[in-house]
């Protein structure tokens, strides 16, 4: 087992082979413990105003609805990835990318009057399940009613638990918020019931790789000076409200580069320069070898004039790379219909594999 | 940038703009900041299209661009503007 530190918290990076753990996420059910996730409940008459100040995204949320958003700094650069849940007009924030102390300082600094911030990170824990049959494991435990919950919604389950249907791997994903002293028991229960789905616990490196492969923003690797949501292709997480931290900086900002998906048959790494002939046109922000495709995949920031998919004339480290459409992989989850499929009969699902139909490498 | 790359990019940009026009004019999609980001998810998050929009987009893809989506191809082909543009390019290449 290897560990890592994310947001000041020690987490399990991998329990064994990262490639094996990615395969579990992509084919059955993986259980992860994102101990670094911060969870804050924002309560009171000023709760919505506070969230509107600190979150960049649209704040029109029904009770039970979840929205992907961002916390930005005054320069419009992302501080953290955030999912906000409207829980009967109090708001739950699930964030990653900042230490808990920094997050709470930031929230306090921008809180509206009549707002109470409840830090649930010490009293609660998040257990996540990911995979094309994560829904089936959850239905085994919670009843088939869970199948009716749409993506980006949540509900209060029994025993003080809250279940959010979200996920950043491109497969079915659920975050289960449980009282901290019940987290181990929750994982044990999931593994026991999950045996029928070949469920395994995985580390966060596998989750992170699946996130890049499905073009979900990673706050730990995909940021830097001058990089705003516009450079990252995350305008959809930025509302037109003028009242959130970073809004005025973004109002006057024009991006000159765009996050672009790249594939290569040779290793590429963060910081590598992307060239067209002798000209530098960008650099790599994040990369890894994709187990499903057998090639290296990367997010590169490339000058707008060159940032188009389907070009195989750029180079990194002197070797050809190809720009492509994100996401990099096809997901089994897209082909699974919970109304008629099951893990036990997964051979019946018409799925040609994660790389089928995707653009190849030069 | 040489002439060949310019031409390739111009073709791609034309397809992306045409798809953007369909989204805005026929599906009434509001592009964040008025900008088309080609890798923004169309469904679920991103532009937040729904299943009715999916039907309209499939019809538009066939009528405007000659793209016929087979069973099992809709979910994959319509993930983003870029994935749809890939299908259009392939259809145009014959």
């Amino acid at each position: 087992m290897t560990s890592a530190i994310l947001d000041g918290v020690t987490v399990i990076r991998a329990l064994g082979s990262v490639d094996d753990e990615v395969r579990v996420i992509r084919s059955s059910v993986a259980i992860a413990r994102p101990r670094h996730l911060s969870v804050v409940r924002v309560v009171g008459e000023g709760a919505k105003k506070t969230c509107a100040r600190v979150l960049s995204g649209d704040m029109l949320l029904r009770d039970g609805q979840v929205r992907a958003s961002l916390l930005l700094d005054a320069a419009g650069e992302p501080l953290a990835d955030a999912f906000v849940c409207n829980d009967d007009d109090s708001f739950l924030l699930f964030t990653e990318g900042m230490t808990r102390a920094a997050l709470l300082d930031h929230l306090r600094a921008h809180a509206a009057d009549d707002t109470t911030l409840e830090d649930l990170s010490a009293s609660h824990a998040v257990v996540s399940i990911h995979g094309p049959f994560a829904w089936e494991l959850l239905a085994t435990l919670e009843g088939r009613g869970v199948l009716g919950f749409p993506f980006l919604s949540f509900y209060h389950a029994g025993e003080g638990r809250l279940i959010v249907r979200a996920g950043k791997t491109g497969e079915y994903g659920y975050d289960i918020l449980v009282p901290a002293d019940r987290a181990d028991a929750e994982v044990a229960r999931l593994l026991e019931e999950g045996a029928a789905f070949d469920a395994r616990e995985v580390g966060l490196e596998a989750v992170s790789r699946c996130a890049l492969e499905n073009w979900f923003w990673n706050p730990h690797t995909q940021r830097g000076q001058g990089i705003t949501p516009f450079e990252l292709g995350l305008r959809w997480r930025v509302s037109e409200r003028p009242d959130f931290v970073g809004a005025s900086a973004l109002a006057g900002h024009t991006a000159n580069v765009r996050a672009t998906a790249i594939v290569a048959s040779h290793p590429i790494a963060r910081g590598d320069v992307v060239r067209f002939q002798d000209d530098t046109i960008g650099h790599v922000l994040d990369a890894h070898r994709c187990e499903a495709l057998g090639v290296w995949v990367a997010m590169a920031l490339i000058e707008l004039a060159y940032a188009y998919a389907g070009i195989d004339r750029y180079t990194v480290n002197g070797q050809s790379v190809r720009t492509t459409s994100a996401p990099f992989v096809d997901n089994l989850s897209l082909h699974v219909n919970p109304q008629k499929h099951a893990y036990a009969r997964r051979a019946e699902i018409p799925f040609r594999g994660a790389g089928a139909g995707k653009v190849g490498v030069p | 940038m040489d002439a060949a790359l310019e031409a390739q990019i111009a073709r791609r940009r034309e397809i992306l703009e045409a798809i953007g026009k369909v989204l805005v004019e026929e599906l009434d999609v509001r592009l964040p900041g008025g900008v088309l980001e080609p890798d923004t998810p169309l469904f679920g998050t991103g532009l937040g299209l729904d299943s009715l929009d999916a039907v309209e987009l499939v019809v538009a893809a066939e009528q405007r661009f000659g793209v016929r989506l087979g069973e099992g191809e809709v979910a994959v082909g319509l993930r983003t503007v870029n994935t749809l543009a890939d299908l259009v390019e392939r259809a145009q290449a014959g």
Side-chain angles (χ1 to χ4, degrees), chain A residues 76-136:
Chain A
E77 296 175 14
L79 292 169
D81 194 20
F83 283 79
V84 56
C85 312
N86 181 345
D87 188 13
D88 195 20
D89 288 337
S90 75
F91 294 89
L92 275 169
L93 300 184
F94 290 75
T95 70
E96 61 174 316
M98 298 170 84
T99 64
R100 275 172 202 147
L103 171 67
L104 288 167
D105 283 346
H106 183 78
L107 294 177
R108 283 188 202 111
H110 298 287
D113 293 339
D114 296 319
T115 303
T116 302
L117 302 172
E118 297 174 3
D119 178 14
L120 302 183
S121 307
S123 59
H124 288 71
V126 175
V127 177
S128 303
I129 54 174
H130 308 277
F133 298 94
W135 57 271
E136 197 176 358

Side-chain angles (χ1 to χ4, degrees), chain A residues 34 63 69 108 119 123 188 217 237 283 300-301 341 359:
Chain A
D63 184 31
S69 193
R108 283 188 202 111
D119 178 14
S123 59
W217 181 60
R237 294 215 205 174
H283 69 275
L301 290 179
H341 293 137
V359 179

Side-chain angles (χ1 to χ4, degrees), chain A residues 269-349:
Chain A
R270 179 181 171 86
D272 282 351
V273 172
V274 183
R275 290 197 165 86
F276 173 65
Q277 295 172 345
D278 293 327
D279 294 330
T280 294
I281 60 168
H283 69 275
V284 175
L285 255 194
D286 196 2
H288 67 263
R289 188 181 175 282
C290 174
E291 187 273 336
L293 300 180
V295 298
W296 288 78
V297 297
M299 175 184 286
L301 290 179
I302 294 188
E303 288 177 20
L304 283 182
Y306 294 88
Y308 290 87
I311 297 169
D312 57 9
R313 298 186 58 199
Y314 304 155
T315 60
V316 172
N317 298 324
Q319 298 189 65
S320 286
V321 298
R322 184 182 177 97
T323 58
T324 186
S325 306
F328 293 99
V329 297
D330 189 5
N331 298 102
L332 177 54
S333 292
L334 283 185
H335 303 269
V336 169
N337 179 345
Q339 301 302 331
K340 61 181 197 181
H341 293 137
Y343 184 71
R345 299 187 311 276
R346 58 196 180 279
E348 298 171 1
I349 300 167

Side-chain angles (χ1 to χ4, degrees), chain A residues 64 138 142-143 145-146 149 153-158 161-165 174:
Chain A
L138 198 64
E142 301 286 322
V146 304
F149 276 88
S153 65
F154 73 94
Y155 71 99
H156 288 275
R161 294 147 70 242
L162 183 142
I163 300 180
V164 181
R165 185 178 163 196
Y174 301 85

